[in-house]
Amino acid sequence: MQRDEELMMAFQKGSTESFSELFLRYRDPLFGFFRRRLSNRTRAEELTQECFLAVLQGAERWEPRATFRTYLYAIALKLTAAEYRRSQREPQKASEADEVGQPNAAEADLGVRRAIAALDAEHREVVLLREFEGLSYEEIAVALRIPLNTVRSRLFRARMSLKELLDPQPQKLQREKEILSTPAPAIQQLRQEP
Amino acid sequence: MNRTTHEIEPEEVMAHLDGELQASRASEVAAHIAACKECATIEADLRAVSGQLIQWQVEPASLSIATSIEQSLAKPETTARVKARERKGLIGAWHRLAASQWAWKLGFASVAVLLVGAVYMQRSFNERARELQRATGLSAFARFSQGATATEVSPDVPAMQKLEAQKQLSESLEKDAAPESASPAADRIAAPTPGPMIARTASMNLVIAKLDVARASLEKLLARHHAFASDMTLDQSNDASASLNATLQVPSAELDATLSDLRALGRVSTESQGGEDVSDQHVDLAARLHNARESEERLLDILRTRTGKVSDVLAVEEQISQTRGEIEQMEAQLANLDKRVSYASIKLEMAEEYKAPTGANSSVALRLRNAVVSGYRDAVDSLLALAVFLLSAGPMLLLWAGLLFFPARAIWKRRGSLRAAFSKNAA
């Protein structure tokens, strides 16, 4: 099986099949990346598409200095940040969109989602990239542009926090449900309220 | 767990679990975990957390994404840029160059540098031409006063006739004066004067900041242009405004350059230039001198050859004496005319800007007022200097800022990624 970087270099030489192979490899993981961060499924699909288009457009400038996976998720992170900013500028539109795409999660997912949503943004991002996207510590450091030691410390603290949060605590359930039913950009604001 | 005393940090236990440790260190940590209950607990907790997180699965992506990406791939322009890398030879190199954003930025920067260079060269060339013109005194007026040929100046008939008559007169005078050339004035008269003779004058009033500085500059200026001050009056009796009045004698060829340099000494309040055509006067005087000399010759001849009564001899001698006086007077006038033509006269008045007196006897209020005026003037001068600097250098600074913004931003971004990579390697 060819490495991602080899496929990308083949695409730079004009092989569209190589890009199709990359697309097949990363379509679902990338959609999962956006889907875990956005409650609107349609928007997650659009951003997945935008991310691949960005890779297409910037393919001639790509150099194998970092892994393709790091490059791809770095673009995805930028798109996510832009989406959060957009939703802050247009809260009404974002709220409507979120209601349309509100996931009907299973109870098992709900516990995990509310625990992750309870983390602060820095720790949440590191743990998501590690646990669900499967990035190595080095890849996370490059994608988030933070030192490797910071990745390790944040990941450890996030996991320890999750351990506490994943313990069943009925008294917190109602509050966390409120958090989960709120659009992603407003989570931080709600968490800060008493 | 006590971090300071425990030999394995909990993050290392986590890194071991994630397969992020090197083989040698991983075996050490594994051995430690097997022996350490605390670390084994941490490892178990971390495993449990990861196990729970796996429960969050998302549905697969819809096929519509694949369709849109395939459509984009099918577009020729999407793959044109990446295919450019594959092309060989000169055409391939050209396509790769055209596809590179850096090449475009570099191209724009080069064009901008060339434009700036061309403008600078043009200005430098003009400046040099002006300096050359100043040094050689080749301004149109100076050329005219030095005696240009008829084809160089406007070829009007009276001027040409005047030139011709002057030439003929000069030749005849030269023939007459050649055997004797008794006086220096006669030599000057004999010299050919091919062009119209213009006695140039100018006057200039300057307002300067410091008279001492301006006077030093004036003296250097006079030395540079081989000029001199025929008279000079310096008035510093009044603290209010020191002034200097001078009459400068400047070689006619240097007049324009001198005036240009004088303007740089301060602010010109009034300036005027004039020129008096003394050709007719010169020709007339030369003709009269020529006649007077002939008369003198004839009288001397009479005195030598003829004999007569004593009263007649005395009358001839008196006539000779009178004629000699006229000749000397006309020679002096001719010399003066030559001097007026070869040296232009500049009446210069320089005065400091008005300032109320600040002598020892002046009141505190007056001195404070002067301080306020001086401070205000300095503030205005500095603001003016800043405005001049911004107006002269501002466009160039804006141009360079615009040119360097995008490369600098790209370098800054690349630096950020390199920093992350360095910290990663350091760790």
Side-chain angles (χ1 to χ4, degrees):
Chain A
M1 185 172 130
Q2 275 188 300
R3 289 169 55 240
D4 296 342
E5 292 74 30
E6 289 170 349
L7 288 172
M8 195 62 185
M9 289 170 83
F11 175 60
Q12 283 183 329
K13 293 176 181 174
S15 167
T16 51
E17 294 79 13
S18 300
F19 190 83
S20 299
E21 172 65 23
L22 281 171
F23 174 72
L24 289 176
R25 283 185 193 181
Y26 285 99
R27 180 187 58 184
D28 288 338
L30 198 61
F31 173 71
F33 174 94
F34 288 114
R35 191 72 184 95
R36 287 189 181 90
R37 286 160 179 80
L38 304 169
S39 55
N40 186 336
R41 178 189 165 89
T42 312
R43 193 70 192 127
E45 284 184 349
E46 285 171 359
L47 288 181
T48 307
Q49 189 176 316
E50 281 180 32
C51 191
F52 278 113
L53 287 175
V55 174
L56 265 177
Q57 286 165 0
E60 83 276 13
R61 292 193 304 273
W62 181 81
E63 290 174 6
R65 285 181 301 174
T67 62
F68 172 75
R69 192 164 58 160
T70 311
Y71 175 66
L72 183 70
Y73 283 113
I75 294 173
L77 282 166
K78 282 186 179 178
L79 287 173
T80 310
E83 179 67 11
Y84 284 162
R85 285 196 297 273
R86 189 191 68 83
S87 60
Q88 279 174 347
R89 283 198 304 271
E90 303 167 12
Q92 185 64 32
K93 194 174 172 182
S95 175
E96 286 170 8
D98 287 340
E99 283 171 16
V100 173
Q102 189 67 32
N104 185 16
E107 194 62 31
D109 292 9
L110 195 63
V112 174
R113 287 174 55 227
R114 71 183 177 221
I116 287 176
L119 294 174
D120 65 63
E122 287 181 344
H123 292 88
R124 184 169 61 241
E125 201 54 67
V126 173
V127 83
L128 283 174
L129 286 173
R130 174 64 204 176
E131 294 288 352
F132 297 105
E133 275 68 63
L135 264 61
S136 69
Y137 292 2
E138 284 182 7
E139 288 172 333
I140 295 171
V142 173
L144 294 178
R145 296 186 175 185
I146 55 175
L148 188 61
N149 280 340
T150 308
V151 173
R152 290 212 312 181
S153 58
R154 280 185 191 174
L155 184 60
F156 184 77
R157 280 200 293 272
R159 281 169 164 167
M160 288 296 108
S161 299
L162 283 173
K163 174 179 167 290
E164 300 296 326
L165 291 164
L166 287 169
D167 282 343
Q169 293 181 7
Q171 65 271 19
K172 290 185 179 176
L173 194 59
Q174 185 58 37
R175 174 68 180 157
E176 286 161 359
K177 275 185 178 175
E178 282 177 19
I179 290 172
L180 289 173
S181 62
T182 306
I187 287 176
Q188 192 69 28
Q189 188 184 345
L190 263 179
R191 200 179 292 124
Q192 288 169 355
E193 289 177 3
Chain B
M1 184 189 290
N2 189 340
R3 279 174 179 264
T4 54
T5 56
H6 208 275
E7 63 181 275
I8 301 290
E9 290 190 350
E11 283 89 347
E12 277 201 295
V13 176
M14 178 189 73
H16 172 257
L17 187 65
D18 287 334
E20 293 279 344
L21 290 180
Q22 290 184 345
S24 57
R25 185 62 180 163
S27 59
E28 287 175 16
V29 173
H32 174 80
I33 291 170
C36 177
K37 192 178 176 182
E38 283 181 70
C39 292
T41 307
I42 289 172
E43 187 187 29
D45 288 344
L46 292 171
R47 277 185 197 280
V49 168
S50 294
Q52 284 178 290
L53 291 178
I54 287 171
Q55 292 173 0
W56 186 11
Q57 294 296 324
V58 296
E59 65 275 30
S62 71
L63 293 175
S64 62
I65 302 175
T67 312
S68 64
I69 295 296
E70 280 168 7
Q71 284 172 353
S72 297
L73 271 176
K75 289 179 185 173
E77 64 267 22
T78 307
T79 52
R81 284 183 296 183
V82 292
K83 280 180 180 174
R85 282 178 175 245
E86 187 61 9
R87 294 193 178 97
K88 305 286 184 191
L90 206 61
I91 297 173
W94 170 250
H95 278 92
R96 284 193 292 278
L97 203 63
S100 165
Q101 283 192 351
W102 277 100
W104 282 103
K105 287 173 186 172
L106 198 65
F108 280 124
S110 305
V111 169
V113 166
L114 282 175
L115 281 174
V116 170
V119 170
Y120 177 77
M121 291 281 285
Q122 179 69 24
R123 287 177 64 180
S124 174
F125 177 77
N126 289 343
E127 188 67 27
R128 286 188 63 185
R130 272 200 296 273
E131 280 179 9
L132 193 65
Q133 185 177 339
R134 194 181 299 166
T136 53
L138 286 177
S139 68
F141 196 73
R143 265 189 296 174
F144 183 75
S145 67
Q146 281 178 343
T149 60
T151 51
E152 284 174 314
V153 192
S154 60
D156 53 333
V157 177
M160 291 177 73
Q161 286 173 345
K162 191 187 291 180
L163 283 171
E164 191 62 30
Q166 204 170 23
K167 191 177 175 185
Q168 286 173 2
L169 179 64
S170 298
E171 282 172 357
S172 66
L173 284 173
E174 195 173 3
K175 280 178 191 170
D176 293 341
E180 291 182 4
S181 47
S183 66
D187 290 339
R188 276 196 295 274
I189 294 161
T193 51
M197 302 180 73
I198 307 292
R200 298 184 66 188
T201 57
S203 69
M204 185 181 283
N205 284 13
L206 282 173
V207 179
I208 51 170
K210 298 274 183 188
L211 185 63
D212 296 341
V213 178
R215 186 184 174 186
S217 303
L218 177 65
E219 284 169 358
K220 285 180 188 170
L221 185 153
L222 292 176
R224 192 163 60 244
H225 293 291
H226 311 290
F228 61 92
S230 55
D231 67 75
M232 183 184 286
T233 308
L234 184 65
D235 181 9
Q236 286 183 312
S237 60
N238 185 3
D239 280 349
S241 177
S243 63
L244 183 146
N245 293 335
T247 304
L248 310 179
Q249 301 296 332
V250 183
S252 294
E254 296 279 326
L255 179 62
D256 290 336
T258 309
L259 287 173
S260 176
D261 286 351
L262 280 173
R263 285 184 203 110
L265 293 180
R267 179 167 56 80
V268 178
S269 57
T270 59
E271 182 183 348
S272 65
Q273 287 189 49
E276 184 189 354
D277 189 349
V278 294
S279 305
D280 293 341
Q281 200 177 339
H282 192 275
V283 169
D284 182 49
L285 204 56
R288 281 169 54 205
L289 182 61
H290 178 67
N291 293 335
R293 278 187 181 144
E294 282 190 343
S295 298
E296 188 189 30
E297 280 297 318
R298 281 196 299 273
L299 287 170
L300 285 172
D301 199 31
I302 289 168
L303 196 63
R304 277 196 298 268
T305 57
R306 305 283 174 87
T307 56
K309 290 188 279 187
V310 174
S311 59
D312 293 338
V313 172
L314 287 175
V316 170
E317 281 185 348
E318 189 181 349
Q319 188 65 34
I320 288 172
S321 175
Q322 189 180 346
T323 308
R324 170 50 44 189
E326 287 174 1
I327 288 170
E328 287 176 358
Q329 189 181 0
M330 284 187 281
E331 281 178 350
Q333 286 175 346
L334 267 180
N336 188 38
L337 268 185
D338 283 343
K339 186 192 159 204
R340 284 179 62 196
V341 170
S342 56
Y343 276 84
S345 172
I346 303 174
K347 285 187 73 67
L348 177 68
E349 287 185 26
M350 292 198 296
E352 284 184 348
E353 285 184 272
Y354 178 76
K355 189 169 65 178
T358 55
N361 297 329
S362 57
S363 67
V364 174
L366 196 57
R367 291 165 72 178
L368 286 173
R369 179 185 166 279
N370 280 344
V372 169
V373 169
S374 177
Y376 172 77
R377 197 172 62 188
D378 289 347
V380 169
D381 286 348
S382 59
L383 276 176
L384 193 65
L386 181 66
V388 167
F389 171 75
L390 287 177
L391 285 174
S392 63
M396 189 185 68
L397 290 175
L398 279 175
L399 174 72
W400 280 106
L403 286 174
L404 295 177
F405 174 74
F406 292 106
R409 195 176 65 167
I411 290 168
W412 182 259
K413 281 184 176 178
R414 180 164 290 194
R415 192 166 159 260
S417 61
L418 283 175
R419 197 187 299 158
F422 283 141
S423 57
K424 171 188 71 182
N425 292 335

